[in-house]
Amino acid sequence: MPNDSDQILMERIAGGCQQSLAKLISRYGALVDQVCRNICGPEAELAALTSEVFWELWVRAERFQEQRGSLRAYLMLIARSRAIDYRRSQRTRQESIRRHMRLKIANDCDRDANAEPCMRAIHDEECQQARKALRNLDPPQREAIELAFFEGLTHEQVAQRMEAPLGTTKSRIRLGLKQLKKYLDS
Amino acid sequence: MAEAPVSNCEEIQESLGAYLLGELPESWTDAIDEHLAAGCPNCNDELDELLAGLSGVAAVLDGPPLKPEECIPVQRAIEQRILSLSASNRAPQSHTGFRFLGASLYAAALAAGVLLAVGMMRQFVPSKAGPRFVARQADEVRQAANSSPRISFVSSALPETSQDSSQTILLLFDEQSREAHLYFRNVPVPAPGKHYVIVARGGRRQSEPPQRVYIDGYGQGQIVISSIEKSEAASLRLELRADESATNEDSI
């Protein structure tokens, strides 16, 4: 396992190592920012939201178990949750939150020149494979996943948006994720 | 959704998507946690599959690693929160860029849930009699400060134009070191994650040297004014300005 693998860094963070947290902020800051940006819009307090997500990672580092999913997925779920909370609070305070976010997938894989070449290459490859896999999903599954994870809608909201029964929507998301895994494995 | 928690593998597997997204009632989540922890192979396999798929979704959204200067505002915000938890088991961290508060004072303020923030181009008038005095928070801070023999609460105030009671500035005084500690909380600044200059006027000396203060993503910041008397501290007027001299490296 590389010295700066996610798992190693998380173990160090659990021991109080801020340098390791800084590495993960660099590595996954763009992901967290993108999740929050998609859900809350570009006018949101993205820096504060990103800080909140990584703070939660810091506090809960000891509970992270990579064998129950990647850190990337873990961070995405935390970011989604915090972003939804933020959006909800903004909607409560003011009625001007935009309702429909245009999905923006970062297409450029122009990596930080300072990133380690090996890590960068792995990261780029994973990104491209994942995008390809998502494109290969059945359209309803893909749409359901995009609404749930890119726009931060709940299952019920996804069902309403897609005008589909709740049970069907749940199945689409679940089967879509499983199909995604199969594509990625292959 | 039924009130009764899920009870069999089929139901659990159908609920795992909502489980991962935190959309289930607590009783359902607990039941699934228990079921998974008991080692059900089929449900654990199903969860692993979903998590692997989720990792793929996250990879789609992932972008280039942040540049160092893009990371520092986040790091600074977290550093401040780590400091606020100095009573926890985590090792103390070193900091640069601005002066941090003494541990006992910090603990006193933060035990009361006091965070730090600041406003821009506004004047603050710490005064017990001020019309925008935040009594609830002031009481909390006073109570926390009173638990320390060397710390005394002086005053709190809000930005003059603010109607938001969470936007507070707090002034504590360290009797031993003769330092005034100013905490700013939740006052919006146009550009969080940057340095600002704070000018304090009032008291016998009329004008304190300007100090730089870092405002994080939560609008938190703090400064310490040394060698000042308590009565002087109580009459300070504060003005926050953008730090025109800040370079990119400074303002991150």
Side-chain angles (χ1 to χ4, degrees):
Chain A
M1 185 178 289
N3 281 339
D4 62 349
S5 71
D6 290 350
Q7 181 65 35
I8 294 290
L9 292 177
M10 287 301 289
E11 288 172 6
R12 291 179 183 157
I13 290 171
C17 177
Q18 287 190 54
Q19 286 77 19
S20 296
L21 181 67
K23 283 189 177 181
L24 289 183
I25 290 171
S26 174
R27 191 174 294 172
Y28 293 117
L31 165 68
V32 171
D33 179 272
Q34 190 65 58
V35 171
C36 296
R37 188 182 298 270
N38 283 345
I39 294 174
C40 301
E43 72 279 10
E45 300 166 55
L46 295 171
L49 273 169
T50 300
S51 300
E52 188 66 29
V53 171
F54 281 103
W55 171 249
E56 191 163 336
L57 187 71
W58 170 266
V59 171
R60 296 165 63 177
E62 292 170 4
R63 293 168 56 188
F64 174 74
Q65 296 175 288
E66 191 169 41
Q67 63 269 26
R68 291 319 310 234
S70 69
L71 180 62
R72 182 185 272 150
Y74 185 67
L75 275 169
M76 182 185 71
L77 289 175
I78 297 176
R80 178 183 180 276
S81 177
R82 296 287 77 76
I84 290 173
D85 289 345
Y86 174 86
R87 185 174 64 187
R88 192 176 292 133
S89 71
Q90 292 298 100
R91 280 181 175 163
T92 301
R93 287 167 51 188
Q94 51 181 317
E95 296 178 358
S96 62
I97 286 291
R98 63 182 188 160
R99 303 286 171 170
H100 303 287
M101 265 71 65
R102 186 176 295 277
L103 172 64
K104 176 184 178 298
I105 296 177
N107 286 317
D108 67 335
C109 278
D110 179 22
R111 300 291 156 184
D112 178 9
N114 295 323
E116 291 182 27
C118 183
M119 293 295 294
R120 175 176 165 175
I122 293 171
H123 192 283
D124 286 356
E125 178 68 14
E126 288 174 349
C127 263
Q128 290 173 7
Q129 290 296 329
R131 286 171 189 150
K132 188 177 175 183
L134 189 65
R135 281 197 297 270
N136 284 336
L137 288 183
D138 289 340
Q141 292 178 353
R142 176 181 176 175
E143 184 181 358
I145 285 175
E146 288 180 349
L147 289 172
F149 296 102
F150 298 171
E151 296 197 23
L153 302 187
T154 64
H155 281 74
E156 286 189 6
Q157 290 168 331
V158 173
Q160 289 173 3
R161 182 78 72 86
M162 295 184 71
E163 298 179 344
L166 180 58
T168 303
T169 301
K170 286 181 177 177
S171 293
R172 282 173 176 167
I173 292 173
R174 188 164 63 92
L175 296 176
L177 289 174
K178 293 173 70 172
Q179 192 62 41
L180 201 57
K181 176 191 182 294
K182 283 183 184 172
Y183 284 138
L184 291 171
D185 286 346
S186 65
Chain B
M1 189 174 284
E3 291 297 324
V6 286
S7 57
N8 60 56
C9 290
E10 186 180 355
E11 277 187 328
I12 286 174
Q13 290 175 22
E14 286 176 356
S15 301
L16 284 177
Y19 167 82
L20 285 172
L21 296 183
E23 295 178 9
L24 292 178
E26 192 174 344
S27 59
W28 285 47
T29 301
D30 290 345
I32 292 175
D33 281 341
E34 192 175 332
H35 184 80
L36 293 170
C40 173
N42 291 335
C43 291
N44 275 291
D45 286 349
E46 177 82 4
L47 180 64
D48 287 339
E49 278 194 82
L50 296 182
L51 285 167
L54 270 182
S55 189
V57 174
V60 172
L61 287 169
D62 209 350
L66 297 183
K67 296 174 182 174
E69 63 268 26
E70 295 172 318
C71 298
I72 291 182
V74 177
Q75 292 171 20
R76 286 274 173 83
I78 292 172
E79 283 173 1
Q80 286 201 340
R81 296 181 75 167
I82 291 170
L83 272 180
S84 76
L85 290 177
S86 58
S88 75
N89 292 329
R90 296 203 187 278
Q93 309 294 327
S94 61
H95 296 270
T96 58
F98 61 96
R99 187 173 180 185
F100 282 89
L101 304 174
S104 60
L105 180 61
Y106 217 100
L110 290 159
V114 175
L115 297 176
L116 327 164
V118 94
M120 182 182 181
M121 297 301 290
R122 289 173 174 168
Q123 289 190 326
F124 300 88
V125 185
S127 168
K128 288 182 180 176
R132 301 189 190 283
F133 186 80
V134 186
R136 185 182 63 80
Q137 289 180 340
D139 286 345
E140 288 173 351
V141 176
R142 183 183 291 110
Q143 187 177 8
N146 286 343
S147 67
S148 168
R150 58 183 278 191
I151 307 301
S152 61
F153 169 81
V154 178
S155 63
S156 71
L158 292 171
E160 287 180 341
T161 57
S162 174
Q163 299 297 319
D164 184 348
S165 63
S166 69
Q167 298 176 355
T168 314
I169 183 170
L170 297 153
L171 174 58
L172 300 183
F173 190 74
D174 187 327
E175 306 279 359
Q176 184 172 316
S177 63
R178 318 305 294 172
E179 292 175 333
H181 295 247
L182 290 154
Y183 297 78
F184 307 97
R185 178 177 187 258
N186 197 28
V187 180
V189 291
K194 288 189 174 182
H195 280 96
Y196 292 83
V197 172
I198 191 160
V199 179
R201 296 191 177 89
R204 284 180 300 181
R205 287 174 293 189
Q206 292 305 311
S207 179
E208 293 292 327
Q211 286 198 46
R212 296 179 79 212
V213 57
Y214 178 78
I215 306 301
D216 71 10
Y218 295 90
Q220 303 170 38
Q222 67 235 24
I223 63 168
V224 178
I225 299 174
S226 303
S227 304
I228 189 169
E229 294 303 318
K230 189 173 178 179
S231 59
E232 293 176 331
S235 61
L236 287 175
R237 292 179 66 87
L238 306 173
E239 182 178 346
L240 196 73
R241 301 171 179 166
D243 185 358
E244 304 294 346
S245 66
T247 64
N248 286 339
E249 288 185 357
D250 286 332
S251 61
I252 52 181

